Amino acid sequence: MTGPAEDLRPGWPTPRRVRRLLLATPVEHVLPMVARSATALGLNAESTPGLLDVVEDSRPLDGRRFDQLFARLARELTAAETDAVRVATDPDSDDGAVLAAQLLAAPSLSVELARRGVTVEVGLLTEAALWPVYQPVVDLTDGRVVGHEALLRGRVDGREVGGGDLFFLAAAAGWTDRLDRLAREAAVRGAAGWLGDADLYVNSSPEAVYRPQVCLEGTEAAVHEAGLRPEQVVVEVVEAHAARDRGHLLAVLEHQRSLGWRVALDDVGVGWSSLALVSALRPDVVKLDKALVGRLDDAAAQAVVGALVELAHSLDAVVVAEGVESEQRAEQVRALGVDLGQGWLFGRPVRPAVALPEELAVP
């Protein structure tokens, strides 16, 4: 052990000041509103159907009036309106085909505003130092630690920020895939040197994996570099994410399994389709939602857990109860046939006492 793990400081692609904006939307009333705001700030706004070109027409060209325009649009437009507008910053051509291509690849105005910290505190994410913490997963029969779930944490101005807040900000700024990749790879590399034969539970959203052969390549390399056996890696998919695009999800899971990784369905029991989803995905691990586990004094909740355990075991899957915080709760889930437990009773998420390699920071 060499001391606390080093923080990760990713370089996020935050926007620079601009001197020209090209905006496009099929919503007819939005661009005239933007044009009026731009003109009021002394900017030149030229419009054609569905398109607005805003430039600075006086010196010095320092972009400050565009900063004011972004702030004004964040106040004046609704979230639905900003979602409906594409915005290309500083387009480098006046050729119609080139401009059209830039607009196709451009973010929505809502994302552009978020990245500039106008509508949400995305500065929290861009300034945060990030690190993984690990919570033990234990065998309910003998108390052995058989795995660890990796969770993401961040710190800004001395205040710790949870993974849920970090991913909320990343989603607003269009960076979910970047943060998901960072968290996956940090979790794997951070487990090197101390994990032993235990399993490593790694959270990942299938929506952040556009093409698994490409998007998971870095995680696959991290597993190899960390000296982990592929079967030690258990990728957790939240039930709510799993239900959205079944075809894409199955493609992602198929690739993960081809790498030798196992699959866990997380937060099971919060939706009406839990049994059907478990049957369809056939996960290696079923993780019961902590809210469901917390209601086990209720007979209905016990029946749900019992049915999920029976189904999971029929598929040769292991069942983990999350949110186990007392001996009474541990005994309840054990009596219902649950195999493993996770919660404050067994240990809180902590940082490993080993140093993380510097190359974890992503560009």
Side-chain angles (χ1 to χ4, degrees):
M1 300 297 182
T2 59
E6 296 178 5
D7 295 341
L8 319 178
R9 292 188 177 274
W12 301 102
T14 52
R16 297 171 296 179
R17 275 185 171 162
V18 300
R19 294 172 177 81
R20 181 185 179 192
L21 287 179
L22 191 65
L23 304 100
T25 181
V27 183
E28 295 181 358
H29 73 272
V30 174
L31 294 185
M33 294 176 64
V34 176
R36 285 193 294 272
S37 295
T39 302
L41 292 170
L43 296 165
N44 183 47
E46 298 183 2
S47 62
T48 57
L51 194 67
L52 181 67
D53 195 357
V54 182
V55 297
E56 285 190 297
D57 57 0
S58 61
R59 302 288 178 174
L61 304 179
D62 60 5
R64 294 182 185 276
R65 280 179 290 179
F66 278 106
D67 292 342
Q68 296 172 336
L69 177 61
F70 284 127
R72 179 174 290 193
L73 295 179
R75 295 192 304 269
E76 294 179 348
L77 300 182
T78 67
E81 288 170 333
T82 58
D83 282 340
V85 178
R86 291 279 179 179
V87 55
T89 58
D90 288 330
D92 53 9
S93 173
D94 288 320
D95 180 84
V98 174
L99 292 177
Q102 289 181 318
L103 278 171
L104 285 173
S108 66
L109 180 58
S110 60
V111 167
E112 187 70 26
L113 293 174
R115 288 178 179 176
R116 293 176 181 277
V118 176
T119 57
V120 293
E121 295 181 300
V122 173
L124 285 175
L125 184 59
T126 59
E127 298 172 10
L130 308 176
W131 68 90
V133 294
Y134 301 83
Q135 186 173 31
V137 178
V138 306
D139 189 317
L140 289 172
T141 59
D142 56 20
R144 289 181 303 112
V145 175
V146 295
H148 296 268
E149 179 181 355
L151 302 163
L152 191 64
R153 295 290 184 269
R155 182 188 300 108
V156 180
D157 295 331
R159 180 168 64 90
E160 184 169 316
V161 181
D165 291 333
L166 293 169
F167 274 96
F168 174 82
L169 295 172
W175 293 333
T176 300
D177 59 323
R178 293 175 58 86
L179 188 59
D180 194 88
R181 176 172 63 86
L182 171 67
R184 290 194 311 266
E185 296 178 11
V188 171
R189 292 193 173 110
W194 62 268
L195 184 66
D197 292 328
D199 294 329
L200 177 64
Y201 291 77
V202 180
N203 291 278
S204 181
S205 169
E207 297 169 348
V209 179
Y210 301 120
R211 182 175 291 273
Q213 295 85 348
V214 177
C215 297
L216 297 177
E217 187 176 15
T219 308
E220 181 185 7
V223 171
H224 176 74
E225 293 165 5
L228 305 184
R229 302 188 313 277
E231 62 269 21
Q232 286 181 268
V233 178
V234 183
V235 182
E236 296 193 23
V237 178
V238 176
E239 181 184 5
H241 292 166
R244 291 177 189 167
D245 187 341
R246 190 73 59 84
H248 177 68
L249 171 64
L250 291 174
V252 173
L253 299 187
E254 180 181 358
H255 182 73
Q256 291 171 346
R257 285 171 166 146
S258 75
L259 298 174
W261 305 347
R262 289 179 288 152
V263 173
L265 188 57
D266 195 15
D267 291 348
V268 175
V270 296
W272 62 268
S273 60
S274 295
L275 290 171
L277 198 58
V278 171
S279 297
L281 300 184
R282 304 181 69 87
D284 303 283
V285 179
V286 172
K287 299 192 75 178
L288 303 177
D289 181 70
K290 62 179 63 177
L292 175 63
V293 173
R295 297 197 304 268
L296 281 180
D297 293 331
D298 180 74
Q302 294 174 20
V304 171
V305 170
L308 286 168
V309 168
E310 182 179 0
L311 174 60
H313 286 171
S314 73
L315 300 173
D316 295 324
V318 174
V319 182
V320 182
E322 297 186 289
V324 179
E325 300 181 1
S326 67
E327 291 287 356
Q328 176 189 1
R329 197 68 75 205
E331 180 55 37
Q332 284 178 316
V333 294
R334 188 184 300 116
L336 289 167
V338 176
D339 306 290
L340 308 177
Q342 181 180 348
W344 289 359
L345 175 65
F346 310 115
R348 301 196 178 202
V350 296
R351 300 181 71 173
V354 293
L356 297 177
E358 295 180 358
E359 63 267 23
L360 280 179
V362 298

